[in-house]
Amino acid sequence: MESEAIIQIKNIHKHFGKVHALRGIDLNVSRGEVVLIIGPSGSGKSTLLRCINRLEEFDQGSIVVDGIPLDSAENINAVRTEVGMVFQQFNLFPHLTVLNNLTLAQRIIRKREKAEAEQIGMELLRKVGIPEKADCYPLQLSGGQQQRVAIARALAMNPKIMLFDEPTSALDPEMIQEVLDVMLALAKEGMTMVVVSHEMGFARAAADRAILMDGGQIIEQAPPNILFTNPKHERTKAFLSKVLS
Amino acid sequence: MQKTEKDNPNYGFHERIKQTDQWWLLVAIVVLLVILLTTFKPDPYQRILNFVMDGIWVTLYTTVISFTLVLILGLFGGLGRTSRNPILHGIASVYVEVIRGIPLLVQLIIWYFAFPAMVKDLGNAWNMESLSNYKANPIVMAILGMTICYAAYMSEVYRAGIESIPKGQMEAARSLGMNYFQAMWYVILPQAIRVILPPIGNEFVTLLKDSSLVSVVAVADLTRRGREFMAANFIPIQTWLMVALLYLVMTLIAARAVTWLEKHSRYER
């Protein structure tokens, strides 16, 4: 099992000033696994996710992604090209058209020709269901559409892992499903995914494992159905009763 | 969105004047005034214009060359000011704070008079003939002085622009595998430049006016040519009316050009 883990997190500690945000996290994610992280705000779940592609530095411990340790600037950039990330606030590049949002990193990092990058970009836009928006600017799109473009932008780099940081939290309720549908399809294709979200429906349908974090620690982890219906830990029960009610 | 308004057949003359900017009217009036003066009172106005014409070119090209360098040097200053590297940040901050605290006129005098004297002293001390015979070129020193001074102001303009772009933009770019400079160049700066176009335009117009200070360090710009004409002809009122109008034509046109640029660099939202 150990050798198969594409993400290996060992004893990660992280401080924000006096706040001990992560207190010794150990976590392995296997190839093709979909992991959902839940927990109250301030529990460190987003911080943990952002440590995986080193958007957040950690003070202690080690992370190895697909055999590459996150220790040098070179390795960090190498890992980032293999790890796609989707943000709560989409973070599309507003000065570029939707299609150019998808081709920019392909051309700079993957060194693809314009035509090839655009072809890949259009394929991905069809996949997320909005090829007709290719020439629009991001701020002309709805939130759900923007988030789908953001997923396509990450996929354009052919990542081995996708990280989702509360991808539906900034969306109007009627737009959540269109984003979840794209994520479900991705999970079915066998993408390795780590998702910080409270979308229980998505968790039941697609996640192999659900993890509850609180106070910078992993409290409990189990397949979603077991964790949600039969939690062992008191803190898990307390949190779930709030979320599910 | 702007198109729909113009496509409207009832779109009236008055609105169109407003849209095309009444400020062009002011430019036209000032230009017309210059033309009227030189046509109907060629003596002294045409004589003044002929005399200061080469000064106009000197003013224009020292300003444009200097401003081009300011845009480049200021970018490095701005990157230094926003850098997390303490050494780069420190160098940029000291540069900005020191230069901003010294009047441009004093800086120009230092570059033209004190700097060459210092080079000569060093040449004498080290017995290096090439240094002791050093003679400063006024135009080069003027451009150097203006550039170093204005690049400090421009660093702050760039810094403000870079800091106005949400943090998520840098994170998104980095998460796609771009390094810091790629993210800056392709993602942050194109957005920041649009934000800071108005202050950049302001700096250009201010530099154009401040370039009159180079007249005290032996550069024959518009102001200096005006002084020379006045000294020879003793007609201060007409001379400085003409010089002032010529500056006004240049600054008004520059300001209009910046507004045009602003309008045409916006992206759809």
Side-chain angles (χ1 to χ4, degrees), chain B residues 56-197:
Chain B
I56 296 177
W57 290 119
V58 172
T59 289
L60 277 178
Y61 80 74
T62 48
T63 304
V64 169
I65 292 174
S66 175
F67 196 70
T68 310
L69 298 173
V70 163
L71 286 176
I72 298 165
L73 188 59
L75 175 57
F76 285 106
L79 289 176
R81 289 280 273 174
T82 54
S83 169
R84 285 204 296 173
N85 179 324
I87 296 169
L88 293 178
H89 181 85
I91 293 172
S93 299
V94 169
Y95 163 65
V96 169
E97 293 303 334
V98 167
I99 295 296
R100 278 201 308 186
I102 303 170
L104 174 57
L105 181 56
V106 173
Q107 292 187 40
L108 288 170
I109 291 170
I110 288 173
W111 284 113
Y112 185 62
F113 294 106
F115 176 74
M118 204 178 70
V119 173
K120 270 183 204 163
D121 283 354
L122 282 179
N124 292 339
W126 296 341
N127 275 327
M128 286 172 70
E129 198 117 319
S130 55
L131 288 186
S132 10
N133 292 336
Y134 175 72
K135 213 172 168 328
N137 176 323
I139 296 232
V140 171
M141 285 299 146
I143 290 176
L144 183 71
M146 289 201 295
T147 301
I148 287 181
C149 180
Y150 265 73
Y153 302 139
M154 195 58 79
S155 301
E156 288 300 273
V157 174
Y158 275 113
R159 181 181 65 81
I162 291 168
E163 285 177 352
S164 77
I165 305 303
K167 234 180 82 194
Q169 291 290 309
M170 177 58 91
E171 289 184 348
R174 298 304 297 274
S175 77
L176 288 165
M178 291 184 218
N179 63 35
Y180 176 82
F181 292 102
Q182 290 167 331
M184 262 295 160
W185 186 253
Y186 292 105
V187 176
I188 306 298
L189 285 176
Q191 297 180 59
I193 298 280
R194 286 176 174 88
V195 175
I196 61 177
L197 257 180

Side-chain angles (χ1 to χ4, degrees), chain A residues 50 53 55 57 77 80-81 83 85 87 91-95 104-105 108-109 137 139-140 153-154 157, chain B residues 84 167-180 182 186-188 190-191 194 267-269:
Chain A
R50 290 158 58 84
N53 67 351
L55 282 183
E57 288 175 25
N77 276 337
R80 281 175 179 160
T81 60
V83 178
M85 183 144 189
F87 300 86
N91 295 344
L92 292 176
F93 307 137
H95 61 299
L104 181 67
I108 302 171
I109 311 296
Y137 284 85
L139 298 176
Q140 296 172 314
R153 177 177 68 179
M157 296 294 287
Chain B
R84 285 204 296 173
K167 234 180 82 194
Q169 291 290 309
M170 177 58 91
E171 289 184 348
R174 298 304 297 274
S175 77
L176 288 165
M178 291 184 218
N179 63 35
Y180 176 82
Q182 290 167 331
Y186 292 105
V187 176
I188 306 298
Q191 297 180 59
R194 286 176 174 88
Y267 39 88
E268 304 275 336
R269 26 177 96 226

Side-chain angles (χ1 to χ4, degrees), chain A residues 51 137 186:
Chain A
C51 281
Y137 284 85
L186 210 53

Side-chain angles (χ1 to χ4, degrees), chain A residues 63-184:
Chain A
I63 296 183
V64 179
V65 178
D66 199 22
I68 307 171
L70 281 175
D71 49 11
S72 66
E74 231 169 74
N75 281 357
I76 289 168
N77 276 337
V79 163
R80 281 175 179 160
T81 60
E82 308 300 332
V83 178
M85 183 144 189
V86 175
F87 300 86
Q88 185 177 351
Q89 299 295 341
F90 329 136
N91 295 344
L92 292 176
F93 307 137
H95 61 299
L96 300 176
T97 63
V98 163
L99 186 58
N100 285 340
N101 263 274
L102 269 60
T103 56
L104 181 67
Q106 291 191 62
R107 301 200 56 198
I108 302 171
I109 311 296
R110 294 281 189 232
K111 309 279 180 210
R112 287 176 190 150
E113 292 299 321
K114 188 163 185 268
E116 189 195 358
E118 284 182 350
Q119 193 198 332
I120 293 171
M122 284 310 298
E123 266 167 37
L124 286 166
L125 283 180
R126 274 191 284 277
K127 186 170 171 177
V128 301
I130 37 175
E132 74 278 6
K133 300 289 186 188
D135 295 324
C136 291
Y137 284 85
L139 298 176
Q140 296 172 314
L141 307 187
S142 72
Q145 291 170 334
Q146 287 191 52
Q147 194 60 300
R148 285 188 278 160
V149 172
I151 294 172
R153 177 177 68 179
L155 291 176
M157 296 294 287
N158 307 105
K160 293 174 179 154
I161 301 165
M162 286 286 283
L163 308 176
F164 293 83
D165 189 4
E166 310 210 23
T168 55
S169 300
L171 295 177
D172 292 336
E174 75 269 21
M175 292 171 182
I176 289 177
Q177 197 54 46
E178 63 191 62
V179 172
L180 291 181
D181 287 343
V182 171
M183 291 169 64
L184 280 169

